[in-house]
Amino acid sequence: QVQLVESGGGLVQAGGSLRLSCAASGRTFSNYAMGWFRQAPGKEREFVGAISWSGGSTYYADSVKGRFTISRDNAKNTVYLQMNSLKFEDTAVYYCAARGALVFSSSRFAYDYWGQGTQVTVSS
């Protein structure tokens, strides 16, 4: 099994920045893609972005494109979500997920492992 742990969430003012981390432990895939999702109160879980672990390609939802950046550090088994120019509507619980394939997906049903989530709150 693979355990995913998100960290880095917190309270930030609109226009500010946060960097979320997703660390993997336990048995890991030799090749896997990672996705980021978020869920606001009263809303369905939505796709944020994804990265191919081996290929290094990324894809983002239109709502965050140009503001959010996904990166990785394979030596640390960690994926990051850099969030800039944060808006109030970015407030949500953010989840990372792992997919046992090189090709990423925007569908949450395509992912095999999930973290517990980290809260991001944007104020003012």
PDB file of all heavy atoms in Angstrom, residues 83-100:
ATOM      1  N   MET A  83       0.661  27.552  -4.938  1.00  0.00           N
ATOM      2  CA  MET A  83      -0.541  28.336  -5.192  1.00  0.00           C
ATOM      3  C   MET A  83      -0.219  29.817  -5.018  1.00  0.00           C
ATOM      4  O   MET A  83       0.114  30.258  -3.914  1.00  0.00           O
ATOM      5  CB  MET A  83      -1.670  27.912  -4.251  1.00  0.00           C
ATOM      6  CG  MET A  83      -1.999  26.427  -4.320  1.00  0.00           C
ATOM      7  SD  MET A  83      -3.414  25.975  -3.272  1.00  0.00           S
ATOM      8  CE  MET A  83      -2.711  26.293  -1.655  1.00  0.00           C
ATOM      9  N   ASN A  84      -0.321  30.565  -6.090  1.00  0.00           N
ATOM     10  CA  ASN A  84      -0.074  32.001  -6.080  1.00  0.00           C
ATOM     11  C   ASN A  84      -1.351  32.763  -6.404  1.00  0.00           C
ATOM     12  O   ASN A  84      -2.300  32.213  -6.955  1.00  0.00           O
ATOM     13  CB  ASN A  84       1.015  32.366  -7.092  1.00  0.00           C
ATOM     14  CG  ASN A  84       2.343  31.716  -6.797  1.00  0.00           C
ATOM     15  OD1 ASN A  84       2.718  31.526  -5.635  1.00  0.00           O
ATOM     16  ND2 ASN A  84       3.090  31.384  -7.849  1.00  0.00           N
ATOM     17  N   SER A  85      -1.354  34.045  -6.077  1.00  0.00           N
ATOM     18  CA  SER A  85      -2.504  34.913  -6.351  1.00  0.00           C
ATOM     19  C   SER A  85      -3.801  34.278  -5.875  1.00  0.00           C
ATOM     20  O   SER A  85      -4.799  34.213  -6.603  1.00  0.00           O
ATOM     21  CB  SER A  85      -2.582  35.233  -7.850  1.00  0.00           C
ATOM     22  OG  SER A  85      -1.400  35.867  -8.297  1.00  0.00           O
ATOM     23  N   LEU A  86      -3.792  33.821  -4.648  1.00  0.00           N
ATOM     24  CA  LEU A  86      -4.940  33.097  -4.110  1.00  0.00           C
ATOM     25  C   LEU A  86      -6.171  33.992  -4.007  1.00  0.00           C
ATOM     26  O   LEU A  86      -6.075  35.179  -3.693  1.00  0.00           O
ATOM     27  CB  LEU A  86      -4.599  32.515  -2.748  1.00  0.00           C
ATOM     28  CG  LEU A  86      -3.742  31.246  -2.793  1.00  0.00           C
ATOM     29  CD1 LEU A  86      -3.111  30.967  -1.441  1.00  0.00           C
ATOM     30  CD2 LEU A  86      -4.593  30.060  -3.245  1.00  0.00           C
ATOM     31  N   LYS A  87      -7.317  33.388  -4.274  1.00  0.00           N
ATOM     32  CA  LYS A  87      -8.606  34.062  -4.214  1.00  0.00           C
ATOM     33  C   LYS A  87      -9.470  33.408  -3.140  1.00  0.00           C
ATOM     34  O   LYS A  87      -9.224  32.270  -2.743  1.00  0.00           O
ATOM     35  CB  LYS A  87      -9.318  33.981  -5.564  1.00  0.00           C
ATOM     36  CG  LYS A  87      -8.508  34.499  -6.740  1.00  0.00           C
ATOM     37  CD  LYS A  87      -9.242  34.232  -8.052  1.00  0.00           C
ATOM     38  CE  LYS A  87      -8.440  34.716  -9.238  1.00  0.00           C
ATOM     39  NZ  LYS A  87      -9.135  34.426 -10.525  1.00  0.00           N
ATOM     40  N   PHE A  88     -10.494  34.124  -2.719  1.00  0.00           N
ATOM     41  CA  PHE A  88     -11.396  33.586  -1.710  1.00  0.00           C
ATOM     42  C   PHE A  88     -12.016  32.265  -2.178  1.00  0.00           C
ATOM     43  O   PHE A  88     -12.202  31.346  -1.371  1.00  0.00           O
ATOM     44  CB  PHE A  88     -12.494  34.592  -1.376  1.00  0.00           C
ATOM     45  CG  PHE A  88     -13.517  34.067  -0.410  1.00  0.00           C
ATOM     46  CD1 PHE A  88     -13.241  34.005   0.946  1.00  0.00           C
ATOM     47  CD2 PHE A  88     -14.757  33.638  -0.858  1.00  0.00           C
ATOM     48  CE1 PHE A  88     -14.180  33.518   1.837  1.00  0.00           C
ATOM     49  CE2 PHE A  88     -15.700  33.154   0.023  1.00  0.00           C
ATOM     50  CZ  PHE A  88     -15.404  33.095   1.381  1.00  0.00           C
ATOM     51  N   GLU A  89     -12.336  32.181  -3.446  1.00  0.00           N
ATOM     52  CA  GLU A  89     -12.959  30.976  -3.980  1.00  0.00           C
ATOM     53  C   GLU A  89     -12.023  29.772  -4.038  1.00  0.00           C
ATOM     54  O   GLU A  89     -12.453  28.664  -4.376  1.00  0.00           O
ATOM     55  CB  GLU A  89     -13.552  31.235  -5.372  1.00  0.00           C
ATOM     56  CG  GLU A  89     -12.575  31.866  -6.344  1.00  0.00           C
ATOM     57  CD  GLU A  89     -12.707  33.374  -6.413  1.00  0.00           C
ATOM     58  OE1 GLU A  89     -12.896  34.007  -5.349  1.00  0.00           O
ATOM     59  OE2 GLU A  89     -12.628  33.927  -7.527  1.00  0.00           O
ATOM     60  N   ASP A  90     -10.741  29.971  -3.730  1.00  0.00           N
ATOM     61  CA  ASP A  90      -9.812  28.853  -3.628  1.00  0.00           C
ATOM     62  C   ASP A  90      -9.923  28.139  -2.287  1.00  0.00           C
ATOM     63  O   ASP A  90      -9.299  27.093  -2.096  1.00  0.00           O
ATOM     64  CB  ASP A  90      -8.375  29.322  -3.826  1.00  0.00           C
ATOM     65  CG  ASP A  90      -8.105  29.831  -5.235  1.00  0.00           C
ATOM     66  OD1 ASP A  90      -8.603  29.212  -6.196  1.00  0.00           O
ATOM     67  OD2 ASP A  90      -7.391  30.839  -5.364  1.00  0.00           O
ATOM     68  N   THR A  91     -10.684  28.692  -1.365  1.00  0.00           N
ATOM     69  CA  THR A  91     -10.865  28.082  -0.055  1.00  0.00           C
ATOM     70  C   THR A  91     -11.489  26.702  -0.200  1.00  0.00           C
ATOM     71  O   THR A  91     -12.563  26.548  -0.785  1.00  0.00           O
ATOM     72  CB  THR A  91     -11.743  28.963   0.834  1.00  0.00           C
ATOM     73  OG1 THR A  91     -11.092  30.215   1.065  1.00  0.00           O
ATOM     74  CG2 THR A  91     -12.003  28.289   2.176  1.00  0.00           C
ATOM     75  N   ALA A  92     -10.807  25.690   0.336  1.00  0.00           N
ATOM     76  CA  ALA A  92     -11.271  24.311   0.207  1.00  0.00           C
ATOM     77  C   ALA A  92     -10.324  23.386   0.957  1.00  0.00           C
ATOM     78  O   ALA A  92      -9.251  23.800   1.403  1.00  0.00           O
ATOM     79  CB  ALA A  92     -11.339  23.899  -1.268  1.00  0.00           C
ATOM     80  N   VAL A  93     -10.728  22.137   1.084  1.00  0.00           N
ATOM     81  CA  VAL A  93      -9.824  21.087   1.522  1.00  0.00           C
ATOM     82  C   VAL A  93      -9.154  20.518   0.284  1.00  0.00           C
ATOM     83  O   VAL A  93      -9.834  20.126  -0.671  1.00  0.00           O
ATOM     84  CB  VAL A  93     -10.560  19.972   2.291  1.00  0.00           C
ATOM     85  CG1 VAL A  93      -9.594  18.854   2.660  1.00  0.00           C
ATOM     86  CG2 VAL A  93     -11.211  20.539   3.541  1.00  0.00           C
ATOM     87  N   TYR A  94      -7.838  20.479   0.294  1.00  0.00           N
ATOM     88  CA  TYR A  94      -7.080  20.015  -0.858  1.00  0.00           C
ATOM     89  C   TYR A  94      -6.569  18.604  -0.619  1.00  0.00           C
ATOM     90  O   TYR A  94      -6.006  18.303   0.440  1.00  0.00           O
ATOM     91  CB  TYR A  94      -5.912  20.961  -1.142  1.00  0.00           C
ATOM     92  CG  TYR A  94      -6.339  22.246  -1.805  1.00  0.00           C
ATOM     93  CD1 TYR A  94      -7.033  23.209  -1.092  1.00  0.00           C
ATOM     94  CD2 TYR A  94      -6.069  22.484  -3.151  1.00  0.00           C
ATOM     95  CE1 TYR A  94      -7.453  24.381  -1.702  1.00  0.00           C
ATOM     96  CE2 TYR A  94      -6.479  23.653  -3.765  1.00  0.00           C
ATOM     97  CZ  TYR A  94      -7.171  24.597  -3.040  1.00  0.00           C
ATOM     98  OH  TYR A  94      -7.580  25.763  -3.648  1.00  0.00           O
ATOM     99  N   TYR A  95      -6.757  17.745  -1.616  1.00  0.00           N
ATOM    100  CA  TYR A  95      -6.369  16.347  -1.540  1.00  0.00           C
ATOM    101  C   TYR A  95      -5.367  16.014  -2.639  1.00  0.00           C
ATOM    102  O   TYR A  95      -5.488  16.503  -3.761  1.00  0.00           O
ATOM    103  CB  TYR A  95      -7.580  15.427  -1.721  1.00  0.00           C
ATOM    104  CG  TYR A  95      -8.676  15.605  -0.708  1.00  0.00           C
ATOM    105  CD1 TYR A  95      -9.696  16.519  -0.909  1.00  0.00           C
ATOM    106  CD2 TYR A  95      -8.703  14.828   0.450  1.00  0.00           C
ATOM    107  CE1 TYR A  95     -10.713  16.679   0.013  1.00  0.00           C
ATOM    108  CE2 TYR A  95      -9.719  14.980   1.375  1.00  0.00           C
ATOM    109  CZ  TYR A  95     -10.723  15.905   1.155  1.00  0.00           C
ATOM    110  OH  TYR A  95     -11.732  16.045   2.073  1.00  0.00           O
ATOM    111  N   CYS A  96      -4.411  15.164  -2.325  1.00  0.00           N
ATOM    112  CA  CYS A  96      -3.559  14.604  -3.359  1.00  0.00           C
ATOM    113  C   CYS A  96      -3.928  13.147  -3.568  1.00  0.00           C
ATOM    114  O   CYS A  96      -4.472  12.491  -2.675  1.00  0.00           O
ATOM    115  CB  CYS A  96      -2.070  14.747  -3.024  1.00  0.00           C
ATOM    116  SG  CYS A  96      -1.486  13.773  -1.622  1.00  0.00           S
ATOM    117  N   ALA A  97      -3.660  12.645  -4.756  1.00  0.00           N
ATOM    118  CA  ALA A  97      -4.008  11.283  -5.110  1.00  0.00           C
ATOM    119  C   ALA A  97      -2.943  10.705  -6.032  1.00  0.00           C
ATOM    120  O   ALA A  97      -2.306  11.430  -6.789  1.00  0.00           O
ATOM    121  CB  ALA A  97      -5.375  11.245  -5.794  1.00  0.00           C
ATOM    122  N   ALA A  98      -2.765   9.392  -5.954  1.00  0.00           N
ATOM    123  CA  ALA A  98      -1.783   8.694  -6.770  1.00  0.00           C
ATOM    124  C   ALA A  98      -2.469   7.724  -7.714  1.00  0.00           C
ATOM    125  O   ALA A  98      -3.434   7.050  -7.336  1.00  0.00           O
ATOM    126  CB  ALA A  98      -0.780   7.946  -5.889  1.00  0.00           C
ATOM    127  N   ARG A  99      -1.948   7.666  -8.921  1.00  0.00           N
ATOM    128  CA  ARG A  99      -2.475   6.791  -9.956  1.00  0.00           C
ATOM    129  C   ARG A  99      -1.346   5.911 -10.467  1.00  0.00           C
ATOM    130  O   ARG A  99      -0.284   6.421 -10.832  1.00  0.00           O
ATOM    131  CB  ARG A  99      -3.072   7.622 -11.084  1.00  0.00           C
ATOM    132  CG  ARG A  99      -3.408   6.872 -12.362  1.00  0.00           C
ATOM    133  CD  ARG A  99      -4.099   7.798 -13.348  1.00  0.00           C
ATOM    134  NE  ARG A  99      -4.075   7.318 -14.716  1.00  0.00           N
ATOM    135  CZ  ARG A  99      -4.933   6.433 -15.214  1.00  0.00           C
ATOM    136  NH1 ARG A  99      -5.869   5.907 -14.452  1.00  0.00           N
ATOM    137  NH2 ARG A  99      -4.837   6.065 -16.487  1.00  0.00           N
ATOM    138  N   GLY A 100      -1.567   4.606 -10.469  1.00  0.00           N
ATOM    139  CA  GLY A 100      -0.531   3.659 -10.884  1.00  0.00           C
ATOM    140  C   GLY A 100      -0.364   3.578 -12.379  1.00  0.00           C
ATOM    141  O   GLY A 100      -0.480   2.491 -12.955  1.00  0.00           O
TER     142      GLY A 100
END
